[in-house]
Amino acid sequence: MVKAANSRGDAPGTPPRTRILVIGGGYVGMYTALGLQRKLRSGEAEVTVVTPEPYMTYQPFLPEAAAGAISPRHVVIPLRRVLHRCRIVIGQAQRIDHAKRTATVTTLATPDEGTGDMEIEYDELVLAPGSVSRTLPVPGLADYGIGFKTVEEAIGLRNHVIEQMDIASSTRDPAIRDAALTFVFVGGGFAGVEALGELEDMARYAARYYHNIKAEDMKWVLVEASDRILPEVGPEMGTYTVRELRRRNIDVRLETRLESCENRVAVLSDGARFPTRTVVWTAGVKPHPLLAATDLPRNERGRLRCTSFLTVEGVEHAWAAGDAAAVPDITAETPGSTCAPNAQHAVRQAKQLADNLVAALRDQALTEYAHKYAGSVASLGLHKGVAHVYGRKIKGYPAWFMHRTYHLSRVPTFNRKMRVLAEWTLAGLFTREIVSLGSLEHPRAEFELAAGGGHAHHPPRPAPNPPEDGKG
């Protein structure tokens, strides 16, 4: 175990700077550090941000990145550029001992150093590791499932979909063709519906460039365990979304679960069987596993118990917000309600957290977090969407335009706003890009082949499909 280099090194005679440790570089981590960077006086505190990736991902743009409407590099915000007054440590927090004010961190250099994990000391802790995909023990899911929570997964899924179309176009085996052109999405929330809507729209457009694939040859299936999709936009807009998706020949199955996807066959609880090479899992999230490796209080769902001031309940010098925190919703009519784990709350909580932390350092009064949920917007593909904002229900092109306008206003930095706007403008003037760059996932494969050290990587051939035709 080695001590981090951020131990106090203050000049003699000067008051020690407060060491603030921010765990996580997502919405809450980045916006909290940004707020601290702007509000702290010179020499008042030092801020260290520990994050697995050197960028923050603006997740609402992942579906458009997957569809090729936005370049992957414009969906992420480089932390070192934005947080230029903070110390950025690329690594994964393994444990937090708040009683001792220490965090154990594994960095990219840890395996080569051979001296063990890094131990970072702090005075104030901001815990914002976010969430991870909530998976279930579905047979075959770990082997064949594809997530949709990171930019890498979004671009990988785009490449995968186009690659399946290439396979279907070139194979002489009808079973392989049918499996390649069948796409199963599990989860009817924002991630699942928007990813399905954008990718189906993209694939439908791409089909015109294949001599032997038509849009109607592809089978798109949305599986949702509850009786409706997109609950955030309300029952009426959720019902409209189902009708809109079915009008596009998308098979929407409500009150249905994925029972298995072993041997590349999606078996549903209603008895349907779909031979498929694509199972996208977007069935919710759960708190980050790091929370279980802390000595901080958690609720029954594993989230940190917090106060409305964004402090950890019953603990001094610990703060939390976002997906990892159960923050009381003081604007809700139902007593005991907590804020939903979504971006709308996370961004606003982060700004309030930064204000409160600075106020605490200066012995000033803290302010409760209060934000009434404004509504939601969702894209269903190019020029299609739904919205329920301030009680108003909007659908079609106006909702799609509202979706783009809202998220353009929310994506951090003027630089990213202009780049995204430029890409949207160019996309309106030219045709879509439909190329697959799957080789990016294995960049050394070609050189290894040339050097005689191996063979160019090819995806493993799926197990033979059973004789079912995929119809329930």
Side-chain angles (χ1 to χ4, degrees), residues 39-371:
K39 298 175 185 302
L40 289 170
R41 305 186 189 104
S42 178
E44 187 174 10
E46 60 179 11
V47 180
T48 299
V49 180
V50 174
T51 172
E53 305 293 347
Y55 53 79
M56 187 273 263
T57 302
Y58 191 72
Q59 291 186 337
F61 279 161
L62 289 184
E64 292 205 49
I70 301 176
S71 298
R73 65 185 184 278
H74 297 158
V75 178
V76 298
I77 293 86
L79 295 178
R80 295 188 191 279
R81 176 184 293 177
V82 176
L83 305 177
H84 53 87
R85 291 178 55 195
C86 301
R87 176 174 179 251
I88 308 296
V89 176
I90 305 304
Q92 183 70 58
Q94 302 294 337
R95 296 181 302 280
I96 292 177
D97 188 340
H98 190 65
K100 296 181 178 179
R101 303 291 193 272
T102 61
T104 302
V105 177
T106 299
T107 70
L108 295 177
T110 298
D112 294 328
E113 290 174 338
T115 54
D117 295 336
M118 173 188 292
E119 189 174 88
I120 299 179
E121 299 175 347
Y122 62 84
D123 300 305
E124 299 283 345
L125 174 69
V126 177
L127 199 50
S131 58
V132 297
S133 295
R134 177 174 59 85
T135 59
L136 298 175
V138 176
L141 182 62
D143 297 320
Y144 301 113
I146 303 172
F148 196 78
K149 191 168 171 56
T150 68
V151 67
E152 293 85 359
E153 288 175 327
I155 304 311
L157 181 57
R158 167 188 169 79
N159 291 334
H160 174 83
V161 169
I162 298 177
E163 186 177 77
Q164 298 312 301
M165 298 178 70
D166 291 336
I167 291 172
S169 177
S170 59
T171 185
R172 291 173 291 181
D173 187 328
I176 293 178
R177 174 186 168 90
D178 289 345
L181 294 180
T182 299
F183 307 94
V184 178
F185 286 68
V186 182
F190 278 112
V193 172
E194 290 193 328
L196 171 59
E198 292 284 355
L199 284 165
E200 189 274 341
D201 209 34
M202 182 268 292
R204 178 184 293 274
Y205 176 86
R208 69 180 67 182
Y209 296 101
Y210 289 81
H211 70 281
N212 58 351
I213 295 180
K214 298 179 181 179
E216 51 267 28
D217 294 337
M218 292 181 282
K219 184 180 300 179
W220 298 81
V221 184
L222 177 63
V223 180
E224 168 55 40
S226 68
D227 60 352
R228 61 175 177 165
I229 64 175
L230 295 180
E232 295 88 350
V233 300
E236 184 178 335
M237 289 294 95
T239 301
Y240 165 80
T241 302
V242 171
R243 288 201 309 268
E244 169 66 17
L245 294 178
R246 286 174 174 166
R247 186 185 64 80
R248 292 159 58 179
N249 293 323
I250 296 174
D251 186 354
V252 181
R253 295 178 178 244
L254 303 178
E255 298 183 278
T256 307
R257 299 180 307 280
L258 176 68
E259 298 284 353
S260 169
C261 57
E262 286 185 304
N263 299 321
R264 301 265 194 187
V265 178
V267 180
L268 307 185
S269 59
D270 61 3
R273 299 170 65 88
F274 296 96
T276 178
R277 299 165 62 97
T278 308
V279 175
V280 182
W281 182 269
T282 63
V285 297
K286 63 181 179 182
H288 196 283
L290 170 64
L291 302 187
T294 73
D295 53 353
L296 299 173
R298 295 179 293 150
N299 67 4
E300 64 281 357
R301 294 189 176 182
R303 300 167 72 191
L304 293 174
R305 294 184 181 275
C306 294
T307 70
S308 56
F309 298 100
L310 303 173
T311 60
V312 177
E313 190 175 280
V315 180
E316 294 184 343
H317 309 293
W319 310 75
D323 292 357
V327 178
D329 187 354
I330 63 176
T331 67
E333 297 178 359
T334 306
S337 298
T338 58
C339 297
N342 56 41
Q344 187 175 142
H345 280 299
V347 173
R348 290 170 172 82
Q349 287 174 0
K351 293 178 180 178
Q352 187 64 64
L353 193 160
D355 288 344
N356 280 352
L357 206 166
V358 172
L361 294 180
R362 299 171 183 171
D363 294 324
Q364 298 172 354
L366 306 186
T367 303
E368 288 187 293
Y369 171 75
H371 171 68

